[in-house]
Amino acid sequence: MPQCLTLAVSQSYTLSTTSATLSALTNITQQAAQRGAHLLLFPEAYLGGYPRTCTFGSSVGSRSDSGREQFLRHFQDAVDLGDTPAGAGDDWVERRLEVAKGKDSRGDGTREVLETVARDTGVFLVVGLVERSGGSLYCAVVYVCPREGCIGKRRKVMPVSSALGWVVDEMVRAENFERLRLKLCERLIWGQGSPSTLRAVTTTIEGVKLTLASAICWENYMPLLRFSLYSQNVNLYLAPTADARDTWLPLMQTIAFEGRAFVLSSNQCVTRKNLPAWIKEESGSSDQRAERKQTIEFPERRVRRSSTTTKTEDNHEITWPLPEPRIPKTSGTDGSDPSSNADRDDDPNSDPPTLPKMRRRFSVTTKTEDNHEITWPSSDSKFQKILSPIQHSSPIASPSPLRLTTIPIDDQDDGDLNSPSSLQHLTKTLSNHLIALPASQPAPNPAPKTSPVPSATNPSSSSGEEFVCRGGSCIISPTGAVLAGPLWEVETGGLLLATVDFEDCQRGRLDLDVAGNYSRPDAFELRVRGLDISPPP
């Protein structure tokens, strides 16, 4: 008999106050209930807010007063669920912790609000939040059953470090240092949770037994952590996140396929104008920005090595570095040797040198036995001869230093590469490079420009507002199939639903059970301190 439930994912963003966000959560849950949802997942740090773009006035060895004020605002927006800094586990779940005199419960009442919403709507809630306990903050997830209230809570065991790749991207695109400081370490503001909270929880909904657990954001990139959840025979894997990269969906598909479980992933989608007010106020006055700019130094752009990328006919990309720019040698007005200015770049007060136009880079493309193309730079002088015909015959604008000419080599023809018969096809790649192909090969069609997902490099909404997070929420089956989503650039009203049969998890174990017979438990063993990774009863 099918074991069917309707699962839902909310793609919603944190509002300016925690009370307003709780009100929005109530409305979203009611809408999900009206559409038949049995379980609903909210994004990472939905309550309390993910402090995207914040610097908290910090760099190595330096903190500012304005940054401390910003942390205060983040601390005040976080929710107090009445737990201890170390995490009280079952004592917190069973409400066995001491309550202050004159009060009925611990915390700020958020736990009770969530339990009321779940009970009134009949929807099992899984909510990402920022939890404050003692003087520390934790990124956490709470499981709220309509019948039993909160049945579990876990804290992120490894807040991520600064996203170096994002910083490098900003260095390429931005001149102002405020944007270069875009991503700060989560570890600065959030504590590390106990591994014991990775214990899966169980519940029964409409006669369907669920074993569910969550991995928050980049915890999903930790193979051993994932395996600790697989080992508990999880059939519903929850992944609230703040990652909107294109690599996130394939990761969710991999986890679903590995664990033979349904995977729900929920992310916020938000434009810069809709960030909480205390985040937008972080830029401060011009004097404050100037002061913060002096606390961090980045490499000058002129010493960065540029690279170029082309696509082959079978849609593979190949990237290699461009030649280092060379400063022209010109005599100084005093007749001195230009080499005496060789250390000019070391003077921070000097103007950057004027760079000469770089010569275009040539390359050679060959095909492997399995029909893949490989491209690499060529230093052969005979390729220089084709420069002139391409410049004059191409309908494309005159070449720039960043444009590449790729010349496929025909092993059967050692003739003159400058002949008209060898240069009949010219085309542009997606990255605006020029490719020249011989007459023996058809010119590749340009890639279509109808992708439903706008570029993540400089995304913006239909109204022109810049997205700081594009979403990407999704629901994945135990075979890795995408059942709903990914939902991109839907800032309000984003709700994904899928009716699934949990017997598909057992069907998938026919050929793969990574934590059972397929794991070779006689040879490999994982132990986690403080955590029983055997399946819960």
Side-chain angles (χ1 to χ4, degrees), residues 80 97-109 112 132:
D80 182 358
L97 297 177
E98 181 183 4
V99 177
K101 184 177 295 186
K103 290 192 174 183
D104 297 330
S105 61
R106 293 172 60 93
D108 61 7
E112 288 69 29
R132 70 173 186 264

Side-chain angles (χ1 to χ4, degrees), residues 22 25 29 38-42 47 81 92-93 95 110-129 141-154 201-203 205 212 238:
L22 278 169
L25 179 147
T29 307
H38 296 99
L39 182 144
L40 175 60
L41 172 67
F42 283 89
L47 297 180
L81 299 177
W92 176 81
V93 172
R95 298 180 182 272
T110 300
R111 172 178 179 168
E112 288 69 29
V113 171
L114 294 176
E115 290 177 335
T116 299
V117 172
R119 182 175 60 252
D120 291 348
T121 60
V123 176
F124 190 107
L125 295 177
V126 183
V127 183
L129 50 85
V141 166
V142 64
Y143 310 103
V144 190
C145 175
R147 302 182 308 275
E148 303 175 49
C150 289
I151 62 172
K153 174 173 64 68
R154 65 154 308 232
V201 299
T202 60
T203 189
I205 302 176
L212 58 150
L238 304 157

Side-chain angles (χ1 to χ4, degrees), residues 135-215:
S136 294
L137 299 179
Y138 302 90
C139 183
V141 166
V142 64
Y143 310 103
V144 190
C145 175
R147 302 182 308 275
E148 303 175 49
C150 289
I151 62 172
K153 174 173 64 68
R154 65 154 308 232
R155 293 170 176 171
K156 196 174 188 177
V157 299
M158 180 49 66
V160 303
S161 62
S162 57
L164 179 60
W166 295 3
V167 172
V168 170
D169 287 344
E170 289 299 325
M171 290 177 66
V172 173
R173 299 197 305 270
E175 295 289 349
N176 67 82
F177 278 78
E178 289 308 308
R179 293 196 66 190
L180 298 186
R181 295 155 57 91
L182 180 63
K183 286 300 293 179
L184 190 71
C185 214
E186 288 181 3
R187 297 175 198 168
L188 175 70
I189 54 172
W190 294 344
Q192 294 180 338
S194 169
S196 64
T197 65
L198 286 166
R199 185 63 174 166
V201 299
T202 60
T203 189
T204 301
I205 302 176
E206 299 290 330
V208 179
K209 181 180 178 180
L210 298 181
T211 302
L212 58 150
S214 64

Side-chain angles (χ1 to χ4, degrees), residues 13 44 59 86 94 123 155 160 210 229 236 251 280 284 367 400 424 468 473 490 501:
Y13 64 86
E44 176 184 14
S59 60
E94 300 297 333
V123 176
R155 293 170 176 171
V160 303
L210 298 181
L229 301 186
L236 182 57
L251 175 63
K280 290 185 289 187
K367 280 195 175 183
S400 70
Q424 291 189 5
V468 294
S473 304
V490 176
D501 182 1

